[in-house]
Amino acid sequence: MNENWFRPAFDRMDAAGKQALMESLAARYQMTFLGLHAFDRWGQSCTTGLFEKDGREFVFVPGDTVTLGWERFAVGLDPDSRKELDDLFQEWEIEQAPEELVRAVMAPVRQATIGPMLVGRKLEELCWEPVKMSDPRVTAHPDWLKKFRDFAWSDLDSLTLHQSARIERMKNGFQIWIYNRTDYDALLAGLEQQGLSLPTVDEWAYLCGGGCRTLFPWGDGMDYSMHLHHFESEEDQGKPYDMEESNFFGLSIAYDPYKREVVKADAFTTCGGDGGCNICGGLGIFLGYLPCSPHCKPEVQEDKELNGDYDFCRPVIRVQTSG
């Protein structure tokens, strides 16, 4: 096994060594190597390779042996988060201690050896297929066309017909999507045909937290200075969302509790969000974003059908380490 595929040795390599290793990856997996890039965030960093294939951008994430899961605060719940929880617990008459409540929804502590991967940098939408207005699957629905015409004369930015069709106002006109029902097994099979997969639960936790022992990659509480999805003030309008920015591996991951990331498991399983249940239930920022913790228990869904409004995927390629 070539130890350079793993983080301790990979981090010690000089730029020329990494360049050669990344070029070999590009050739092996028929990708375009875009160059080396340094990512540094939340006390972790990685200078690694960026790639492009079939319109997707990938980043090389070296493997590592890490501790995953959570049982207690590593540095202690910060004062702002504690105040939010104290106020919420008083309002909801919850007698449980914050650490006990958090521990109940966290995965158990475990050691895991994670192999190196080429990882899709962005989440990908599921079920929604972009089409033209002239697509027969659209024109066969006069009621859709009427609603699209009404939308075009409105001041709305988008219109969604539940699990049927969607239209959005773009800079140069309109884009239409239609909804295709699909399930977990079909998603895995379709990715496999492309030479792709999904991260496992442990792989996802590593990609999200990098082996951090704090509750979140940045610490043991929420950073309330961040611009967060669903909790934006007027002065934040138009600003980038902090958690959506690239992490230390160059990934945009676990930044919106409404977006569940589908992972590879024995049954349809998601990480990185609860479909917005905590936020919709009025539980505030800390508990609203708790499902985005890398240590949160994965959620096994009740059936196999994907929900294109909440389920998203992140393709990965597991790198063979024999060379």
Side-chain angles (χ1 to χ4, degrees):
M1 183 176 67
N2 186 342
E3 65 176 7
N4 289 335
W5 296 119
F6 290 81
R7 191 155 47 160
F10 183 77
D11 286 347
R12 292 193 298 268
M13 294 179 70
D14 60 19
K18 287 185 177 181
Q19 178 87 13
L21 194 65
M22 297 299 98
E23 288 175 351
S24 72
L25 266 186
R28 187 194 305 182
Y29 294 105
Q30 299 179 316
M31 303 174 115
T32 301
F33 176 47
L34 303 177
L36 295 175
H37 191 93
F39 298 100
D40 189 342
R41 200 152 191 225
W42 299 321
Q44 298 188 62
S45 61
C46 186
T47 298
T48 187
L50 296 182
F51 304 82
E52 190 276 334
K53 184 176 184 179
D54 298 331
R56 292 184 174 103
E57 192 171 81
F58 290 83
V59 63
F60 171 70
V61 176
D64 204 354
T65 297
V66 292
T67 301
L68 304 173
W70 192 92
E71 60 184 358
R72 64 177 61 89
F73 293 114
V75 296
L77 188 62
D78 69 273
D80 290 338
S81 297
R82 179 168 290 280
K83 183 179 186 310
E84 182 191 345
L85 289 179
D86 286 345
D87 291 345
L88 181 70
F89 284 16
Q90 184 175 358
E91 178 185 352
W92 288 67
E93 298 182 350
I94 299 174
E95 298 182 359
Q96 197 173 22
E99 189 170 66
E100 293 176 1
L101 183 145
V102 172
R103 187 181 299 116
V105 298
M106 293 292 113
V109 174
R110 62 212 184 268
Q111 288 281 317
T113 297
I114 308 298
M117 292 173 279
L118 289 157
V119 184
R121 295 191 65 197
K122 304 290 185 182
L123 281 184
E124 296 187 10
E125 194 170 48
L126 296 171
C127 302
W128 291 102
E129 177 190 354
V131 297
K132 295 181 179 180
M133 182 75 80
S134 59
D135 190 295
R137 293 170 293 178
V138 175
T139 58
H141 294 272
D143 54 325
W144 294 3
L145 296 175
K146 181 182 182 305
K147 290 177 181 178
F148 290 165
R149 284 193 295 270
D150 293 342
F151 164 80
W153 288 102
S154 75
D155 57 359
L156 298 175
D157 293 326
S158 65
L159 171 70
T160 299
L161 309 178
H162 180 63
Q163 294 190 351
S164 298
R166 187 177 85 210
I167 185 171
E168 290 186 8
R169 195 181 304 274
M170 315 297 283
K171 289 183 179 179
N172 300 314
F174 302 93
Q175 177 61 60
I176 294 174
W177 288 261
I178 60 171
Y179 192 87
N180 298 311
R181 292 182 178 275
T182 189
D183 65 22
Y184 183 63
D185 292 338
L187 171 63
L188 293 178
L191 289 171
E192 186 176 354
Q193 289 177 354
Q194 302 174 63
L196 303 170
S197 185
L198 294 175
T200 64
V201 168
D202 284 356
E203 288 170 342
W204 186 92
Y206 172 64
L207 297 174
C208 180
C212 69
R213 300 312 305 135
T214 49
L215 186 61
F216 296 101
W218 55 83
D220 269 340
M222 280 304 302
D223 180 349
Y224 295 89
S225 68
M226 292 195 292
H227 181 205
L228 302 171
H229 282 272
H230 317 295
F231 292 97
E232 50 195 329
S233 60
E234 286 189 18
E235 57 267 27
D236 285 335
Q237 293 288 339
K239 292 182 181 179
Y241 294 99
D242 292 79
M243 288 177 65
E244 195 169 350
E245 297 291 298
S246 298
N247 73 355
F248 36 81
F249 287 139
L251 304 173
S252 178
I253 188 169
Y255 56 81
D256 184 344
Y258 277 82
K259 294 185 175 182
R260 309 183 301 202
E261 292 205 25
V262 183
V263 296
K264 186 176 182 179
D266 292 335
F268 176 17
T269 303
T270 58
C271 295
D274 63 352
C277 291
N278 285 356
I279 290 178
C280 191
L283 297 185
I285 296 177
F286 183 93
L287 294 182
Y289 270 82
L290 193 58
C292 294
S293 165
H295 308 303
C296 198
K297 285 180 183 176
E299 185 177 357
V300 179
Q301 304 301 320
E302 293 182 357
D303 56 39
K304 291 187 176 184
E305 183 172 350
L306 302 173
N307 187 319
D309 294 328
Y310 300 107
D311 296 325
F312 297 79
C313 76
R314 181 184 306 279
V316 303
I317 299 172
R318 293 181 183 85
V319 174
Q320 297 298 315
T321 59
S322 56

